[in-house]
Every structure is written in structure tokens, then in C-alpha cells.
Amino acid sequence: MRPVLLKGHERSITCVKYNYDGDLLFTASKDHTPSMWRAEDGERIGTFNGHKGTIWDFDCDRMSRRLVTASADATARMWECETGTCLQTFVHRGP
């Protein structure tokens, strides 16, 4: 396996995870924009726009259809991976 350079985030990365199959890579950062990358070559496939705070954690379902993100803006969001559409926003009061 060779290293892959991911170019696209404007601030430091807070979380990195592969999907179940290992062909996609998801990243989150302090720039408020989670991203999805092709693991083989590091090409950014898309972004998930809508949060207004640092993304601290996320997880993708087994089939890579949905992504759930947790942000410092006191929301968690569920996204459709194929389109980047926000399907639902969950508001919380924090820790």
C-alpha cells in the first residue's frame, strides 16, 4: 500500500475512517466540511455541506449509503453518500 495525499481541507483534520469495503475514505475537519475520497488514488469524490462547526466524529453504514456526522454546532446530520444531500438534522444541547 502506498501513501495517498488528500488535498482539500482548509483546516486540521479531526477524524479519518475507511468504509467497510475499504474503497472509500471519509474525513472530517475543523473547516466544517466532511469529505469522501477514493481510497485508491486520493481523489475527492464529494463533500457534505451544511454544518457550522467543527466535525468531531462520523460513521458510515456498511453499504456506504449513509453517513452520520456530529458537529460542534450542536447538530448531528444524516447524509446520503451518493448525492451529499442532508437527509435529517438532529439538534442536541451538547455534552
Side-chain angles (χ1 to χ4, degrees):
M1 181 179 276
R2 64 181 180 80
V4 175
L5 179 63
L6 305 175
K7 292 183 180 181
H9 284 294
E10 296 177 9
R11 298 195 57 206
S12 58
I13 292 176
T14 58
C15 192
V16 178
K17 292 182 185 178
Y18 282 97
N19 68 336
Y20 180 79
D21 294 327
D23 60 336
L24 299 175
L25 186 65
F26 293 87
T27 59
S29 75
K30 292 183 176 183
D31 66 6
H32 313 171
T33 308
S35 296
M36 181 170 61
W37 312 79
R38 185 174 292 113
E40 182 179 334
D41 59 9
E43 178 183 346
R44 181 154 61 175
I45 298 169
T47 57
F48 303 91
N49 300 306
H51 279 296
K52 297 187 181 356
T54 297
I55 311 301
W56 291 113
D57 203 4
F58 61 83
D59 210 353
C60 181
D61 73 334
R62 184 177 176 125
M63 301 305 291
S64 302
R65 292 184 185 141
R66 303 283 187 264
L67 179 73
V68 175
T69 55
S71 172
D73 66 3
T75 65
R77 294 178 185 246
M78 183 184 313
W79 308 87
E80 183 175 37
C81 290
E82 189 174 340
T83 64
T85 303
C86 181
L87 301 173
Q88 191 159 358
T89 301
F90 306 92
V91 178
H92 60 85
R93 294 185 191 142

